[in-house]
Amino acid sequence: MPTQVRIITPGEGDILPFPATEATLENGLRVIILATGFPNIVSLQIPVQTGSRNEVEPGKSGFAHFFEHMMFRGTDRYPAHAYQAIVTRAGARQNAYTTDDYTNYHMTFAAEDLEQILEIEADRFMNLKYSEADFRTEARAILGEYNKSSSEPLSKLIEVQREHAYSTHTYQHTTMGFLRDIEDMPNQFEYSRTFFDRWYRPEYTTIIIAGDVNPETALPLVEKYWAAWERGTFTVDIPIEAPASRAVAVHHDWPAPTLPLLTVAVHGPGFLPANREYAALDALLDIHFGQTSDLYRELVEEEQKVDQFFAYFGGSQDPGLATIVARVKDHSNVANVRDRIVAEFGRAANSTVDPKKLADVKSYNRYAFARTLDNSESIASTLARFVRYERDYDTLNGLYRMYDALTPADVELAAKRYLRDENVVQATLANGVVEGLGDIPAISPPLEAPADAALVVIRQPSPSTLLRFKLAFEAGSAHDPLGKEGLAMLAASMITEAGSTSRRIDEITKALFPMAGSFSADVDKELVTFTGVIHRDNLEAFSNIAFEQLNSPGFRESDFERLKDEQRNALIQDLRTNNDEEFGKERLQTNAFAGSAYGHPSLGTVSGIGAITLDDVRAFITAHYTRANLRTGLAGDVPVAFETRLRIELGKLPAGDPPVPPTVRAVVPNGIEVEIIAKETRATAISFGHPLKVTRKDREFAALWLARSWLGEHRASNGRLFQQLRELRGLNYGNYAYIEAFPRGMYGFFPDANLVRQSQLFEVWIRPVPPEQAVFAFKAALHEVDGLITRGLSAEDFENTREYLLKNVFLLTKTQDQQLGTAIDSDWYGMPEFVGEMRSRLEALTLDSVNAAVREHFSATNLHAVFITKDGAALRDELLSGEFSTIDYAGVEKPAELLAEDQVIGARALGLTPEKIRITPSDAVFA
């Protein structure tokens, strides 16, 4: 029985509007259960109070993150495959993440499966079992994850910043750990058991159950399966970092061309639930460095020296770093930007706080938080981030009570305490030395500013006071004129990020800030979708701003040049230079549709962006932002008066002619056609696939959707590719398959809505592998696709995958944004409501119909493939050699049947000739 049970009723001023039950079992396990009012789905979050902070022994960093991976290895009762089968049958999506202070395991699933999920989760927390071979395999995968992260400049800069900011505390290393420790991890098998035994204990763990749940029945289920978990005895003293005695500056020389990155941080307080210092310094950062600040306006919008600028102060258990991040467009401006940031610290430390600005920050924080409460998963995940401090439901309410109670004097006191010269940590990253930085200037008094009508509306009504509207114009990148690739993207940005005729963008940002409103644009091949999000309390004020942006854009030359610069940098830096995985996927898409309207990224091309003029933008908007091109959607408890106004405002748009679909031609390969993109990178990213005629409007889509799920669903561990390449062979971080476009795949479980396309792509994504394993990994994935085509699914695989998808489909529309966006997509495709239609189609499937669809529409021989690697010539020679491809397991014993299959994979003929392979320098791609 629980030693204590507390029924929590929301009180005045509480940010969480849900009644909750909080209980503590005799073994110390904390349980929090809340019914959210959202049907069918439950989200289970299990934060464990162990992160990289706990890694106190030298040479042992990275183990908290390591167990995030190992916890999926299974137990005697539920081996990994059996565990995953249950998760799959529950239609669940699950994952885990590790931070400095805690590790969180999360799963969202159909409510009816709560008991079995609690049972299997309890089993793995109490009875995790893994062999030394499993351990070594996972260690290889973690090194692959480090390699993936190391190709992203900002991740590397934060790693360097922290290593030099701390000398004693374990925050000196990131959650991944020091590289030297990761490389030695395969030798730490025995220590791994010690680490797990110490920290995976009930007194460090909280179970959060949120969604369609009854606390009176859920709590006994937790007791049934978790009460036997034994309390531990281990504690540790976390080393205390001495107060900083001097400013620190460090530079990292990046091996390839990149825009300079700069962080200027100060040592700040930890998150103290009973102390206002964290909240005060967090508010100070919003006031002085947020999007409504003078410095943001100057550096980003007016002078355009910086294209990314933000503050980060995450709230760590122990004193952490309050960091300002800037990506500078030109090396020559880094010193000036650094000086301006430090000078702003001086202003904050030596001036009074404007009560109106503080009130705006408080208002923004409250309304922005309210936006996260629109689905059970978001509610539970947000709660987990704060429960983890003291395993207390009220921590989050307490934080917002602190925000509400902040006074200008609180903020001024925090500024004087923490904005001190000796607290500053400066870190830079660039290709080569950054000239002119010199010593960090003193935090000083402020410096002077530099001189220099008839409308179809799709409705998704709900009782939510968070309102959302979408305007989906058939004006995507497929409508870009030849030689002006990127125009659709730039035109959309000029609507949402360049102000209106009566307000500059900084004035709009300031006006939206206290109401936490947003008006944004997403651009894909066929659609540009504008989304407005606002709390019902602020609807009228928000509408005045957003509709003026749409109907009366500002078209200022300075905004145009700024946004054009940002788009070019997003293409060159964020896609081509910094993100090998997305780069390869995007290149595969354009190769499959080369020479047609889909033959370039939505961002455009370097030359295309350069050729666009402001007059081009005006003409594009006039031609394409018409009522005939528009689909409109509303979600939430929308007042009738707003819909009336919406019709009036959209009636001001030109009527336009019915849209003419762009011309899309697929390039169907004959055999395997390979493009190798040569760039300075540590690992090799691989994507391959071919055009696909089937889209979701077609009946065969459900059959291919099921086959794709079995083969490898995005960021899910139950797929065949994931199991064979990652789990059994430790080749990389993950391997997935797709039958619809999935841009920005690194950042979510499900694709965004409003990615409708006439033609799609069957694609396999192999996340980066060591260069010496690239050809084997490619062959292994081809082997699995070929096996699916030739052998088909088994009856058991078919039934299990269908059962999973029948429930998982609910998760595709779990948020208000997904529901509304998917409704618009279904209208575009001319099909019924997506969830009901897909469940109906899945029920009608047979094993034979799925296997027949796979044989007809998938190929393992006629494919486009894109490799991104450092030594393109060596990879080309290996692909052409026809030699047997090997894999090195670094001394780890593998089953005989796996080694036998490796022989088949290694001998696989690719049928490549020199004419089928081309090497392209990375800077020539999308040029």
mmCIF file of all heavy atoms in Angstrom, residues 329-355:
data_model
loop_
_atom_site.group_PDB
_atom_site.id
_atom_site.type_symbol
_atom_site.label_atom_id
_atom_site.label_comp_id
_atom_site.label_asym_id
_atom_site.label_seq_id
_atom_site.Cartn_x
_atom_site.Cartn_y
_atom_site.Cartn_z
ATOM 1 N N LYS A 329 27.108 36.323 -39.345
ATOM 2 C CA LYS A 329 27.170 36.123 -40.791
ATOM 3 C C LYS A 329 28.570 36.307 -41.357
ATOM 4 O O LYS A 329 28.889 35.764 -42.419
ATOM 5 C CB LYS A 329 26.205 37.076 -41.495
ATOM 6 C CG LYS A 329 24.741 36.844 -41.172
ATOM 7 C CD LYS A 329 23.882 37.815 -41.960
ATOM 8 C CE LYS A 329 22.408 37.631 -41.670
ATOM 9 N NZ LYS A 329 21.570 38.541 -42.473
ATOM 10 N N ASP A 330 29.401 37.095 -40.698
ATOM 11 C CA ASP A 330 30.725 37.401 -41.233
ATOM 12 C C ASP A 330 31.750 37.364 -40.104
ATOM 13 O O ASP A 330 31.499 37.894 -39.020
ATOM 14 C CB ASP A 330 30.717 38.779 -41.895
ATOM 15 C CG ASP A 330 31.972 39.028 -42.723
ATOM 16 O OD1 ASP A 330 33.042 39.223 -42.101
ATOM 17 O OD2 ASP A 330 31.885 39.023 -43.964
ATOM 18 N N HIS A 331 32.905 36.734 -40.363
ATOM 19 C CA HIS A 331 33.947 36.654 -39.343
ATOM 20 C C HIS A 331 34.302 38.022 -38.787
ATOM 21 O O HIS A 331 34.615 38.166 -37.599
ATOM 22 C CB HIS A 331 35.217 36.008 -39.937
ATOM 23 C CG HIS A 331 35.150 34.523 -40.055
ATOM 24 N ND1 HIS A 331 34.250 33.870 -40.880
ATOM 25 C CD2 HIS A 331 35.879 33.537 -39.440
ATOM 26 C CE1 HIS A 331 34.431 32.567 -40.771
ATOM 27 N NE2 HIS A 331 35.404 32.326 -39.916
ATOM 28 N N SER A 332 34.266 39.036 -39.624
ATOM 29 C CA SER A 332 34.712 40.365 -39.207
ATOM 30 C C SER A 332 33.805 40.998 -38.165
ATOM 31 O O SER A 332 34.181 41.973 -37.520
ATOM 32 C CB SER A 332 34.810 41.291 -40.426
ATOM 33 O OG SER A 332 33.519 41.486 -41.007
ATOM 34 N N ASN A 333 32.598 40.436 -37.973
ATOM 35 C CA ASN A 333 31.644 41.023 -37.029
ATOM 36 C C ASN A 333 31.580 40.296 -35.690
ATOM 37 O O ASN A 333 30.826 40.702 -34.807
ATOM 38 C CB ASN A 333 30.241 41.050 -37.641
ATOM 39 C CG ASN A 333 30.103 42.085 -38.728
ATOM 40 O OD1 ASN A 333 30.704 43.164 -38.651
ATOM 41 N ND2 ASN A 333 29.327 41.772 -39.759
ATOM 42 N N VAL A 334 32.333 39.214 -35.525
ATOM 43 C CA VAL A 334 32.224 38.426 -34.292
ATOM 44 C C VAL A 334 32.599 39.260 -33.082
ATOM 45 O O VAL A 334 31.897 39.258 -32.056
ATOM 46 C CB VAL A 334 33.099 37.157 -34.376
ATOM 47 C CG1 VAL A 334 33.077 36.407 -33.036
ATOM 48 C CG2 VAL A 334 32.609 36.236 -35.482
ATOM 49 N N ALA A 335 33.703 39.984 -33.162
ATOM 50 C CA ALA A 335 34.149 40.781 -32.006
ATOM 51 C C ALA A 335 33.117 41.832 -31.641
ATOM 52 O O ALA A 335 32.823 42.060 -30.458
ATOM 53 C CB ALA A 335 35.496 41.428 -32.320
ATOM 54 N N ASN A 336 32.524 42.486 -32.642
ATOM 55 C CA ASN A 336 31.514 43.507 -32.369
ATOM 56 C C ASN A 336 30.286 42.907 -31.709
ATOM 57 O O ASN A 336 29.739 43.476 -30.743
ATOM 58 C CB ASN A 336 31.126 44.203 -33.671
ATOM 59 C CG ASN A 336 30.004 45.220 -33.470
ATOM 60 O OD1 ASN A 336 28.839 44.926 -33.709
ATOM 61 N ND2 ASN A 336 30.377 46.403 -33.006
ATOM 62 N N VAL A 337 29.847 41.736 -32.194
ATOM 63 C CA VAL A 337 28.677 41.093 -31.587
ATOM 64 C C VAL A 337 28.982 40.692 -30.152
ATOM 65 O O VAL A 337 28.160 40.896 -29.244
ATOM 66 C CB VAL A 337 28.250 39.872 -32.429
ATOM 67 C CG1 VAL A 337 27.169 39.077 -31.710
ATOM 68 C CG2 VAL A 337 27.757 40.314 -33.806
ATOM 69 N N ARG A 338 30.179 40.128 -29.924
ATOM 70 C CA ARG A 338 30.568 39.779 -28.552
ATOM 71 C C ARG A 338 30.535 41.007 -27.642
ATOM 72 O O ARG A 338 30.001 40.972 -26.519
ATOM 73 C CB ARG A 338 31.960 39.143 -28.575
ATOM 74 C CG ARG A 338 32.455 38.552 -27.245
ATOM 75 C CD ARG A 338 33.100 39.559 -26.286
ATOM 76 N NE ARG A 338 34.086 40.410 -26.889
ATOM 77 C CZ ARG A 338 35.389 40.112 -27.007
ATOM 78 N NH1 ARG A 338 35.837 38.967 -26.563
ATOM 79 N NH2 ARG A 338 36.233 40.994 -27.551
ATOM 80 N N ASP A 339 31.108 42.104 -28.126
ATOM 81 C CA ASP A 339 31.162 43.322 -27.308
ATOM 82 C C ASP A 339 29.762 43.834 -26.998
ATOM 83 O O ASP A 339 29.496 44.318 -25.891
ATOM 84 C CB ASP A 339 31.969 44.398 -28.024
ATOM 85 C CG ASP A 339 33.443 44.044 -28.135
ATOM 86 O OD1 ASP A 339 33.867 43.068 -27.490
ATOM 87 O OD2 ASP A 339 34.166 44.744 -28.867
ATOM 88 N N ARG A 340 28.856 43.705 -27.959
ATOM 89 C CA ARG A 340 27.485 44.209 -27.758
ATOM 90 C C ARG A 340 26.736 43.346 -26.735
ATOM 91 O O ARG A 340 25.931 43.856 -25.952
ATOM 92 C CB ARG A 340 26.748 44.211 -29.108
ATOM 93 C CG ARG A 340 27.443 45.042 -30.203
ATOM 94 C CD ARG A 340 26.982 46.474 -30.208
ATOM 95 N NE ARG A 340 25.661 46.595 -30.752
ATOM 96 C CZ ARG A 340 25.366 46.580 -32.060
ATOM 97 N NH1 ARG A 340 26.334 46.434 -32.961
ATOM 98 N NH2 ARG A 340 24.126 46.739 -32.464
ATOM 99 N N ILE A 341 26.988 42.039 -26.745
ATOM 100 C CA ILE A 341 26.353 41.167 -25.754
ATOM 101 C C ILE A 341 26.854 41.511 -24.357
ATOM 102 O O ILE A 341 26.063 41.639 -23.406
ATOM 103 C CB ILE A 341 26.621 39.689 -26.090
ATOM 104 C CG1 ILE A 341 25.906 39.292 -27.369
ATOM 105 C CG2 ILE A 341 26.184 38.774 -24.934
ATOM 106 C CD1 ILE A 341 26.283 37.922 -27.902
ATOM 107 N N VAL A 342 28.169 41.652 -24.216
ATOM 108 C CA VAL A 342 28.733 41.992 -22.906
ATOM 109 C C VAL A 342 28.226 43.365 -22.462
ATOM 110 O O VAL A 342 27.915 43.575 -21.277
ATOM 111 C CB VAL A 342 30.271 41.943 -22.955
ATOM 112 C CG1 VAL A 342 30.858 42.401 -21.623
ATOM 113 C CG2 VAL A 342 30.750 40.530 -23.281
ATOM 114 N N ALA A 343 28.138 44.301 -23.410
ATOM 115 C CA ALA A 343 27.613 45.619 -23.054
ATOM 116 C C ALA A 343 26.172 45.528 -22.572
ATOM 117 O O ALA A 343 25.759 46.260 -21.658
ATOM 118 C CB ALA A 343 27.713 46.549 -24.267
ATOM 119 N N GLU A 344 25.399 44.610 -23.160
ATOM 120 C CA GLU A 344 24.010 44.437 -22.709
ATOM 121 C C GLU A 344 23.961 43.850 -21.306
ATOM 122 O O GLU A 344 23.081 44.196 -20.505
ATOM 123 C CB GLU A 344 23.247 43.557 -23.694
ATOM 124 C CG GLU A 344 21.734 43.536 -23.483
ATOM 125 C CD GLU A 344 21.085 44.901 -23.702
ATOM 126 O OE1 GLU A 344 21.618 45.710 -24.489
ATOM 127 O OE2 GLU A 344 20.029 45.148 -23.081
ATOM 128 N N PHE A 345 24.920 42.956 -20.992
ATOM 129 C CA PHE A 345 25.039 42.524 -19.602
ATOM 130 C C PHE A 345 25.239 43.740 -18.701
ATOM 131 O O PHE A 345 24.674 43.825 -17.597
ATOM 132 C CB PHE A 345 26.228 41.577 -19.439
ATOM 133 C CG PHE A 345 25.986 40.162 -19.904
ATOM 134 C CD1 PHE A 345 27.044 39.361 -20.317
ATOM 135 C CD2 PHE A 345 24.716 39.608 -19.922
ATOM 136 C CE1 PHE A 345 26.842 38.055 -20.740
ATOM 137 C CE2 PHE A 345 24.502 38.303 -20.350
ATOM 138 C CZ PHE A 345 25.575 37.526 -20.763
ATOM 139 N N GLY A 346 26.079 44.666 -19.177
ATOM 140 C CA GLY A 346 26.321 45.882 -18.395
ATOM 141 C C GLY A 346 25.053 46.691 -18.188
ATOM 142 O O GLY A 346 24.802 47.205 -17.094
ATOM 143 N N ARG A 347 24.265 46.837 -19.250
ATOM 144 C CA ARG A 347 22.999 47.575 -19.108
ATOM 145 C C ARG A 347 22.100 46.905 -18.065
ATOM 146 O O ARG A 347 21.498 47.570 -17.232
ATOM 147 C CB ARG A 347 22.268 47.606 -20.455
ATOM 148 C CG ARG A 347 22.892 48.519 -21.487
ATOM 149 C CD ARG A 347 21.971 48.616 -22.721
ATOM 150 N NE ARG A 347 22.571 49.464 -23.730
ATOM 151 C CZ ARG A 347 23.388 49.053 -24.673
ATOM 152 N NH1 ARG A 347 23.722 47.771 -24.729
ATOM 153 N NH2 ARG A 347 23.894 49.895 -25.548
ATOM 154 N N ALA A 348 22.028 45.584 -18.152
ATOM 155 C CA ALA A 348 21.157 44.864 -17.215
ATOM 156 C C ALA A 348 21.634 44.999 -15.780
ATOM 157 O O ALA A 348 20.826 45.080 -14.844
ATOM 158 C CB ALA A 348 21.098 43.389 -17.605
ATOM 159 N N ALA A 349 22.963 45.017 -15.598
ATOM 160 C CA ALA A 349 23.517 45.080 -14.242
ATOM 161 C C ALA A 349 23.458 46.483 -13.651
ATOM 162 O O ALA A 349 23.574 46.634 -12.424
ATOM 163 C CB ALA A 349 24.966 44.593 -14.258
ATOM 164 N N ASN A 350 23.269 47.487 -14.491
ATOM 165 C CA ASN A 350 23.382 48.871 -14.018
ATOM 166 C C ASN A 350 22.158 49.720 -14.329
ATOM 167 O O ASN A 350 22.252 50.943 -14.408
ATOM 168 C CB ASN A 350 24.627 49.521 -14.639
ATOM 169 C CG ASN A 350 25.918 48.890 -14.159
ATOM 170 O OD1 ASN A 350 26.384 49.133 -13.070
ATOM 171 N ND2 ASN A 350 26.489 48.015 -15.000
ATOM 172 N N SER A 351 21.026 49.091 -14.532
ATOM 173 C CA SER A 351 19.816 49.863 -14.831
ATOM 174 C C SER A 351 18.625 49.250 -14.119
ATOM 175 O O SER A 351 18.681 48.119 -13.630
ATOM 176 C CB SER A 351 19.569 49.898 -16.340
ATOM 177 O OG SER A 351 19.348 48.592 -16.836
ATOM 178 N N THR A 352 17.560 49.995 -14.060
ATOM 179 C CA THR A 352 16.325 49.494 -13.461
ATOM 180 C C THR A 352 15.517 48.733 -14.510
ATOM 181 O O THR A 352 15.717 48.895 -15.717
ATOM 182 C CB THR A 352 15.482 50.651 -12.913
ATOM 183 O OG1 THR A 352 15.192 51.570 -13.980
ATOM 184 C CG2 THR A 352 16.222 51.387 -11.803
ATOM 185 N N VAL A 353 14.616 47.890 -14.041
ATOM 186 C CA VAL A 353 13.797 47.063 -14.928
ATOM 187 C C VAL A 353 12.480 47.769 -15.201
ATOM 188 O O VAL A 353 11.807 48.234 -14.275
ATOM 189 C CB VAL A 353 13.549 45.675 -14.301
ATOM 190 C CG1 VAL A 353 12.545 44.874 -15.121
ATOM 191 C CG2 VAL A 353 14.860 44.914 -14.171
ATOM 192 N N ASP A 354 12.118 47.855 -16.461
ATOM 193 C CA ASP A 354 10.846 48.440 -16.874
ATOM 194 C C ASP A 354 9.717 47.509 -16.423
ATOM 195 O O ASP A 354 9.644 46.358 -16.869
ATOM 196 C CB ASP A 354 10.834 48.593 -18.394
ATOM 197 C CG ASP A 354 9.556 49.242 -18.911
ATOM 198 O OD1 ASP A 354 8.556 49.300 -18.166
ATOM 199 O OD2 ASP A 354 9.553 49.671 -20.085
ATOM 200 N N PRO A 355 8.820 47.956 -15.542
ATOM 201 C CA PRO A 355 7.734 47.077 -15.072
ATOM 202 C C PRO A 355 6.879 46.528 -16.198
ATOM 203 O O PRO A 355 6.406 45.394 -16.130
ATOM 204 C CB PRO A 355 6.927 47.988 -14.139
ATOM 205 C CG PRO A 355 7.884 49.058 -13.719
ATOM 206 C CD PRO A 355 8.789 49.278 -14.886
#
